[in-house]
Amino acid sequence: MNAGRALIAACAMLGAPEAHSRVSRMTHQFDEETRLQPGPDGRWTGRVHPAWNIGANPNGGYLMSLAMSAMGRLVPQHPDPLSITAHYLRPGSADVACEVEATVIRSGRSLSTARATLAQEGKPRLEVVAALGALGEPGAARLTVPAPEIPPPEACVGRSGAQQGIELPILERIEVRLHPREARAGEAGRAQVTGWIRLRDGREPDSHAAVLFADAFPPAVFGLLGVVGWVPTLELTVHVRRRPAPGWLLGRFRTRDLVDGRMVEDGMLWDSTGELVAQARQLALVRVPG
């Protein structure tokens, strides 16, 4: 039982209305730091929190989550991003206000399609298009990809900014534990990264967290090229297949195509029951060591 449920149960037994009120006010960092305020003409305002940075730049998955927050508010009957694609026009700026303009392109009974633009200081930073729906309870898949076998989280190695060659403030918000053979720069000898991920403050994963996690691992080329620093995303698409079960998510990311300093990376995420919950592909820039 998590802390929130335990507190609710205690309130029910003790009849403490003030404790019930406390539960209602409990929030998590991811939710607070992607929260937007409604403004005029379909615009939403917020702030890009610096705790989600990769070096000096906000993580791309976090910026996508801000845009996703606005789109979700427009179609509350369709809370899950079934497919979401972001094109990154320029880097975001940390600790700076943002404005998200979101519109519903079409809304139907089982699916809505929405578009959003996130801007800062008058300049668009990313464009997002999403198909939104309501994922049902997990069921038996007719065709799926089994989760890879790796050591449990306690036997894996924490993601390191020193190994990647860049400061990682984002590790204040998420915990990433890598396969021991893939945790050191260039040691794996292949462009693959496998490991576990969760939010540090105890928030359980959902479909929105799955989108964030699809861009929160070290770049797969880290295992082949060594220290790669910041690898900026040009385009990212995430398909969410199921709502994750509580607990760690397991991710595996691979790159088979790197040319002219641009890589294509494919990723998958499985939940604590071994069910595939998300698939992702991104095009990113790599500053290949000389």
Side-chain angles (χ1 to χ4, degrees):
M1 181 181 292
N2 64 32
R5 290 180 181 173
L7 186 54
I8 291 172
C11 292
M13 290 186 291
L14 298 174
E18 67 279 4
H20 279 290
S21 176
R22 179 182 167 193
V23 169
S24 69
R25 295 195 301 268
M26 289 178 67
T27 57
H28 291 93
Q29 292 163 331
F30 177 60
D31 303 301
E32 275 296 308
E33 292 162 4
T34 56
R35 193 180 306 280
L36 301 174
Q37 299 299 321
D41 304 323
R43 290 176 168 82
W44 302 75
T45 60
R47 195 165 193 85
V48 177
H49 198 285
W52 300 90
N53 273 21
I54 304 290
N57 302 104
N59 168 259
Y62 169 62
L63 292 177
M64 184 187 283
S65 296
L66 283 161
M68 193 165 51
S69 176
M71 292 188 290
R73 295 280 290 275
L74 296 178
V75 286
Q77 74 277 20
H78 294 144
D80 299 305
L82 308 182
S83 174
I84 183 165
T85 297
H87 286 264
Y88 294 85
L89 310 179
R90 52 177 57 85
S93 297
D95 206 20
V96 172
C98 67
E99 181 179 82
V100 178
E101 182 176 0
T103 57
V104 178
I105 300 171
R106 182 183 182 276
S107 184
R109 179 175 298 178
S110 60
L111 182 73
S112 293
T113 303
R115 177 189 294 119
T117 302
L118 186 149
Q120 290 183 287
E121 301 175 313
K123 297 179 180 179
R125 307 298 172 122
L126 70 157
E127 294 279 350
V128 182
V129 176
L132 304 162
L135 292 166
E137 294 300 317
R142 299 186 62 179
L143 183 65
T144 190
V145 181
E149 294 288 337
I150 77 165
E154 60 270 19
C156 289
V157 181
R159 181 182 180 184
S160 164
Q163 287 295 318
Q164 191 175 331
I166 192 169
E167 291 186 7
L168 296 175
I170 193 172
L171 295 182
E172 298 175 15
R173 295 292 184 262
I174 60 171
E175 184 175 6
V176 180
R177 301 191 67 83
L178 303 175
H179 194 296
R181 294 197 298 271
E182 298 174 354
R184 294 182 61 83
E187 189 173 86
R190 57 181 177 176
Q192 175 175 302
V193 170
T194 313
W196 303 93
I197 188 168
R198 66 180 177 181
L199 290 160
R200 284 196 180 272
D201 66 359
R203 183 192 189 277
E204 295 292 1
D206 60 8
S207 59
H208 285 233
V211 173
L212 170 73
F213 291 166
D215 192 42
F217 279 79
V221 291
F222 159 90
L224 179 67
L225 301 179
V227 175
V228 292
W230 181 46
V231 176
T233 302
L234 300 178
E235 182 268 343
L236 171 63
T237 295
V238 183
H239 295 151
V240 183
R241 309 295 293 136
R242 295 172 179 81
R243 289 179 180 166
W248 290 88
L249 294 192
L250 169 61
R252 182 180 65 197
F253 295 82
R254 293 172 170 170
T255 292
R256 297 182 176 90
D257 181 9
L258 171 60
V259 61
D260 293 334
R262 294 183 294 273
M263 73 169 188
V264 175
E265 180 182 272
D266 292 295
M268 294 186 179
L269 293 166
W270 294 265
D271 69 11
S272 58
T273 71
E275 293 290 341
L276 180 68
V277 296
Q279 301 182 59
R281 169 169 282 195
Q282 71 170 278
L283 177 67
L285 294 175
V286 181
R287 297 172 176 85
V288 181

